[in-house]
Amino acid sequence: MAEMGGEMGIEGPFWRAIAVFRIASLAYAAVLLVRAGGYSHPVAAWAVIAVMAVWTAVTVVAYPVVHPAAPPARHGWPLLVADLAVTAGCLLATPLAQTRADALAGTIPVTATWVAGPVLAWGVSRGRRAGAVAAAVMSGADLWLRGVPGADVASIPVNGAVLLFMAGVVVGHVAQLARRAEERMQRAVELEAIGRERERLARGIHDSVLQVLALVQRRGAEIGGEAAELGRLAGEQEAALRALVQAPALRGEGSLDLRELLRPYGTARVTVSAPATPLVLPAETAREVRAAVGAALDNVSRHCPDGTRAWVLVEEDGQTVVVSVRDDGQGIPEGRLEQAEADGRMGVARSIRGRVADLGGTVTITSSETGTEIELTVPLARQGPGSLARQAPGPLERRASGRRKRV
């Protein structure tokens, strides 16, 4: 349960309702006192009413009613405990104003219904369980006050205790639901704002940067020579940037569409193929897979000849996600990966294999003189590192030929 404090938002009406209830209950207790002629000890009774009035004023100011954006310490546990203690004290002070005969006759305590105030406050602040705890404390004090040694427990009225429990649990549960609804609404508003900002930036980029890159690509091809190479690079960046500004990556709270994360890798030399439907993964899993794919493509650009093409294929079978990165380079020489790891170059060992292993998946590298294939297999439901058992060859393994290494 989140601590109280800051802008209360949807909780504000709850606190105002509790304040109104306290004031109305205080007035009701005073009316009962007047009708009863001050009970057996009027001075003590009016003293209790005075304490109740002062504490009601304190709670109206201290709880987020008058100052909904007050610091959290002002409505934290100390105030809640003090509220419960003061209210219980006023309730237990009833014998000072009434006689035992009044209690046995069923006369309502001097506090009347005012005792429900802290129960409601605990429920709104900390949820239904806290409301039930506060109700148990106040009900225990009330039942102790009404009981007498040797009395039949069945003769002790329990209606008030039942009502307190119902109020604490129900109000606490409703407050929790309202708080969650507000959080989801706020999240939806933030996502809408992000979407609008993305659209605004996309329009600006389309009207400026993308047009310039397209112009450079076209004029470079016309001029030829070194300008053609600059034009080709501009075309690659245009494709990557266009995919980026068009990618609504966030699909749900804590989830990402893996397709949208991988599409920006597509360029004139890198082809990205993915399913037509969203492939939603936990955000951490999706980012780690994207980073592993990026590391594989970085190896292609670093270690393969200029002009080497690469293909990224994304597949999903209901239980696992398989992402393969294939290139048409010269392949990985025998023992190259082991030597690189021994020399402290951990690109494949950590950036690819380590990431996928942490997700509970496996990495298969197939290399030949016609190119290299790196297959990343990640379970849709994380089961811990190394827990995924490969039951059948993956799609790339069925196509692969030449030297194979499992890393």
Side-chain angles (χ1 to χ4, degrees):
M1 181 61 60
E3 297 290 333
M4 288 184 300
E7 189 64 34
M8 299 308 296
I10 202 170
E11 290 185 16
F14 285 97
W15 292 112
R16 287 190 288 272
I18 293 175
V20 172
F21 172 81
R22 288 180 186 268
I23 296 172
S25 297
L26 176 64
Y28 178 59
V31 169
L32 291 179
L33 180 58
V34 172
R35 291 182 58 184
Y39 296 126
S40 300
H41 306 285
V43 176
W46 282 110
V48 173
I49 293 293
V51 173
M52 292 165 55
V54 171
W55 188 247
T56 297
V58 170
T59 57
V60 169
V61 175
Y63 282 119
V65 177
V66 178
H67 304 289
R74 295 189 58 185
H75 2 257
W77 282 113
L79 178 58
L80 291 170
V81 174
D83 192 7
L84 193 63
V86 171
T87 305
C90 291
L91 175 62
L92 295 176
T94 297
L96 301 177
Q98 298 177 358
T99 63
R100 176 65 69 180
D102 293 332
L104 293 177
T107 303
I108 192 169
V110 67
T111 53
T113 59
W114 189 76
V115 295
V119 176
L120 300 176
W122 277 55
V124 170
S125 172
R126 308 291 165 166
R128 58 182 180 273
R129 292 185 180 87
V133 170
V137 173
M138 297 308 305
S139 298
D142 182 52
L143 295 177
W144 179 87
L145 185 66
R146 295 173 181 273
V148 293
D152 183 6
V153 176
S155 66
I156 302 176
V158 295
N159 291 338
V162 173
L163 291 176
L164 282 176
F165 271 103
M166 292 180 62
V169 172
V170 172
V171 171
H173 182 63
V174 171
Q176 282 182 318
L177 293 179
R179 194 156 29 237
R180 292 170 185 168
E182 183 183 30
E183 292 173 355
R184 292 174 181 173
M185 179 64 71
Q186 181 64 29
R187 181 61 176 166
V189 171
E190 292 175 357
L191 291 177
E192 183 180 359
I194 292 173
R196 289 198 300 267
E197 180 65 13
R198 177 186 289 274
E199 292 179 1
R200 185 186 68 81
L201 292 175
R203 289 193 298 268
I205 291 174
H206 181 271
D207 293 340
S208 56
V209 180
L210 291 178
Q211 292 181 357
V212 172
L213 290 175
L215 176 62
V216 172
Q217 179 188 22
R218 186 173 63 254
R219 293 300 302 274
E222 294 174 354
I223 297 174
E226 294 183 357
E229 177 65 14
L230 293 177
R232 183 189 63 77
L233 294 175
E236 292 180 356
Q237 295 304 311
E238 179 196 7
L241 185 57
R242 190 179 300 278
L244 181 63
V245 298
Q246 292 177 349
L250 193 58
R251 295 300 182 188
E253 185 174 353
S255 300
L256 294 172
D257 186 349
L258 182 61
R259 305 174 312 155
E260 306 297 352
L261 294 182
L262 296 181
R263 279 175 180 164
Y265 286 129
T267 65
R269 291 184 178 179
V270 179
T271 301
V272 178
S273 301
T277 57
L279 210 170
V280 179
L281 298 176
E284 178 185 1
T285 301
R287 293 192 184 101
E288 289 297 285
V289 172
R290 176 185 61 178
V293 172
L297 292 174
D298 184 62
N299 283 339
V300 174
S301 63
R302 287 174 179 268
H303 304 295
C304 294
D306 292 340
T308 299
R309 293 183 55 82
W311 294 265
V312 178
L313 176 64
V314 185
E315 298 177 295
E316 182 261 324
D317 62 5
Q319 295 182 344
T320 61
V321 173
V322 179
V323 182
S324 61
V325 181
R326 180 171 61 88
D327 65 69
D328 59 0
Q330 76 276 23
I332 302 175
E334 185 74 28
R336 174 73 173 271
L337 295 179
E338 292 81 358
Q339 184 61 43
E341 185 172 354
D343 294 341
R345 300 194 301 272
M346 311 297 288
V348 173
R350 291 183 180 174
S351 298
I352 300 177
R353 183 180 61 186
R355 280 192 170 97
V356 175
D358 287 344
L359 299 175
T362 59
V363 176
T364 299
I365 297 181
T366 304
S367 184
S368 68
E369 296 180 355
T370 59
T372 300
E373 296 176 343
I374 299 179
E375 181 180 284
L376 318 176
T377 303
V378 177
L380 289 176
R382 180 170 177 171
Q383 304 171 2
S387 63
L388 181 66
R390 293 172 61 90
Q391 303 296 331
L396 292 182
E397 291 174 333
R398 291 192 297 267
R399 297 193 303 267
S401 61
R403 297 187 303 272
R404 167 167 297 187
K405 289 186 178 293
R406 171 70 59 85
V407 295

